[in-house]
Amino acid sequence: MDIRTFTERLVEFPTVDGGEAAAASWTREQLDALGFETYEWLADAEALANHSSFPDDPDLIDTADRPSVAGVLAFGDPDAGPTLVLNGHLDVVPADEDAWSSDPFTPTWGETDDGGETLTARGAVDMKAPVAACVFAALDAAERAEEADLNGRLVVEAVAGEEEGGIGAAAAALSNPYPFERDAAVVAEPTELAPITAVEGTVMKRLEIQGRAAHAASRWRGEDVLPHFERIRGAFKELEAERGETVTHPLYEEYPVPWPIVIGKVAAGNWASSVPSSLTAEMRFGVAPGETVDEVEKQYEEALRAVVDADDWLSEHPPTFERFSIQFEPAETDADERIVRTLREAMLDTGLPDTDPRGATYGADSRHYVAAGIPTVLFGPGSIEQAHFPDETIEWADVEQARETLAETAVRFLQS
């Protein structure tokens, strides 16, 4: 088993809609065969329901038959050295096959304009090739263990449900699945081979507005929900712009909209010749590192309240504005943490000179480990601009580069 074969086989598993079990079983088998001591755990929906990322109702958290797996390599005197986790997730978002040029779950090799190799498949970027890079980086570090005088443990995780709030990682953070402590982690999300030390949080909200139906021929007798929605949407966009000016962070200055909102789903009315009397909109609000989900949620609730108070109809028929789905807390690891310094040194040593820490406008499993007191940095091959897109493609040279840099990071971190 080499890294190419490992990646090809892994992307063939359609790990959507909670279907990680077969891929997890196969991954554990490979880790066993490669010499890792393996572990497996299932998330407890009751425990996750008490976590701020997840719905309060355990029945809304799908944990059944969704194992997360890990392999551990121990070096020298394991208890005398630190433990480093290399983390990735097995689940992928669904693929609209009609929008793809090839079967999303068949690995398709191609070329860049300059002759480099590419791999196209759902999960190639987010994040099965990065998982493979973690596995083989660990093996590379093991080959250097005696010469480099390594002590400690190296853990490679392939977790379930990252796209659904981090089911496997949250479970691992809440209840350590290993008989040893963890000192640091690298989550191999697609960062374009840059170190990301801060990730944005998100709050998901559902807005429901009630109007009054009427026949199109006498629409003045109805109460159209769309103008009300447009005023609310305008108020939210104004708050987004205001927050972009007043909520600052040095790692987010490059972004034109650092704390973006997206109203991603809107449904209104039920008949073309009737005044739309109801509207449901689902939206996502960005939360800056250093803020809390509750704080940002309150700001948008106050913006909605101002619109409602200024309108007679909405004052008498107030909209509902409730959380739904999953929430992502922001997280940040100090650039002076040893794992960040070690990664940056390894980057320089393996030919990656741009080591300045960055911030990301998305959330990641890193937040669960940071909340558990485990310093965590994101670093991996591929671009987030390919993740979740049709014809998801990664440059293979970046996968090999990530493997080399992660191996060097592990060696430096575990070196006596």
Side-chain angles (χ1 to χ4, degrees), residues 305-326:
R305 189 175 302 113
V307 176
V308 170
D309 290 346
D311 184 271
D312 291 341
W313 175 268
L314 292 180
S315 295
E316 294 180 9
H317 307 84
T320 61
F321 194 40
E322 305 292 342
R323 287 189 187 185
F324 79 103
S325 186
I326 55 174

Side-chain angles (χ1 to χ4, degrees), residues 390-413:
D391 291 341
E392 180 180 341
T393 298
I394 195 165
E395 295 189 20
W396 193 250
D398 289 348
V399 179
E400 293 286 8
Q401 176 70 70
R403 172 185 179 176
E404 182 184 5
T405 303
L406 289 170
E408 182 65 25
T409 301
V411 168
R412 287 173 176 266
F413 195 79

Side-chain angles (χ1 to χ4, degrees), residues 290-310:
E291 295 185 304
T292 68
V293 167
D294 290 346
E295 289 170 347
V296 174
E297 180 181 38
K298 184 177 180 181
Q299 291 179 31
Y300 281 95
E301 287 176 342
E302 291 174 349
L304 173 62
R305 189 175 302 113
V307 176
V308 170
D309 290 346

Side-chain angles (χ1 to χ4, degrees), residues 211-228 271-277 313:
R212 182 171 58 211
H215 194 288
S218 55
R219 64 180 176 84
W220 55 89
R221 298 186 182 278
E223 186 69 32
D224 189 342
V225 292
L226 293 175
H228 296 302
W271 188 249
S273 64
S274 296
V275 172
S277 62
W313 175 268

Side-chain angles (χ1 to χ4, degrees), residues 6 27 31 34 36 73 86 130-140 156:
F6 187 100
T27 301
L31 292 172
L34 291 167
F36 291 82
L73 297 175
L86 304 179
V131 168
C134 291
V135 172
F136 287 86
L139 293 173
D140 293 344
V156 176

Side-chain angles (χ1 to χ4, degrees), residues 37-53:
E37 179 183 5
T38 58
Y39 293 81
E40 182 174 313
W41 65 95
L42 288 171
D44 180 355
E46 294 281 351
L48 294 184
N50 293 316
H51 190 290
S52 57
S53 283

